[in-house]
Amino acid sequence: MIQMKSDDEMLFDLADLFRMFADSTRVRILNELMKKEVGVTELANEMQMTTSAISHQLRILKDSRLVRSRRDGKGIIYSLADDHVATILNMGMEHLLEGTRGN
């Protein structure tokens, strides 16, 4: 039998999800992954960061189910886990842009 989460549990999980977006490095990574699938080295070069730092953040994003990976020969390629991640980022950007339009 599947146990449904209580409203409080869902809200705590939602808060955990939004915590993933509270780190600018993770948001930058997600933004890059919205454009294309990419490996750690290329991502590190584009973001001017170490591969170790990028790998650490990718692991966090993967554990949070925001990013997925697949093997490509000897390397690993990362992409957004699903369209919901891009939707969350796009909605956040739209919200920010609304504030600049002088409501």
Side-chain angles (χ1 to χ4, degrees):
M1 182 173 175
I2 297 174
Q3 173 129 9
M4 298 296 290
K5 290 186 176 187
S6 72
D7 288 344
D8 283 345
E9 287 176 307
M10 287 296 290
L11 292 175
F12 286 124
D13 288 348
L14 182 59
D16 285 340
L17 171 65
F18 281 118
R19 275 190 204 95
M20 292 299 105
F21 294 95
D23 181 277
S24 61
T25 298
R26 288 193 290 262
V27 172
R28 288 177 60 210
I29 290 170
L30 293 170
N31 187 58
E32 289 298 319
L33 294 177
M34 280 179 56
K35 300 172 192 172
K36 62 181 178 179
E37 294 182 324
V38 67
V40 174
T41 303
E42 183 179 349
L43 193 54
N45 289 338
E46 287 180 19
M47 294 182 62
Q48 297 180 341
M49 295 179 67
T50 65
T51 56
S52 176
I54 295 296
S55 292
H56 173 72
Q57 295 301 332
L58 284 168
R59 188 173 8 224
I60 292 169
L61 291 167
K62 191 174 176 186
D63 289 346
S64 298
R65 298 183 341 211
L66 295 173
V67 167
R68 66 177 167 213
S69 63
R70 66 176 172 81
R71 183 156 297 283
D72 183 35
K74 292 183 179 180
I76 297 178
I77 303 296
Y78 292 88
S79 62
L80 296 182
D82 57 43
D83 292 337
H84 295 113
V85 180
T87 299
I88 292 167
L89 290 168
N90 285 327
M91 290 182 79
M93 291 301 291
E94 285 178 26
H95 178 73
L96 291 174
L97 290 172
E98 280 182 13
T100 62
R101 294 184 188 130
N103 292 333

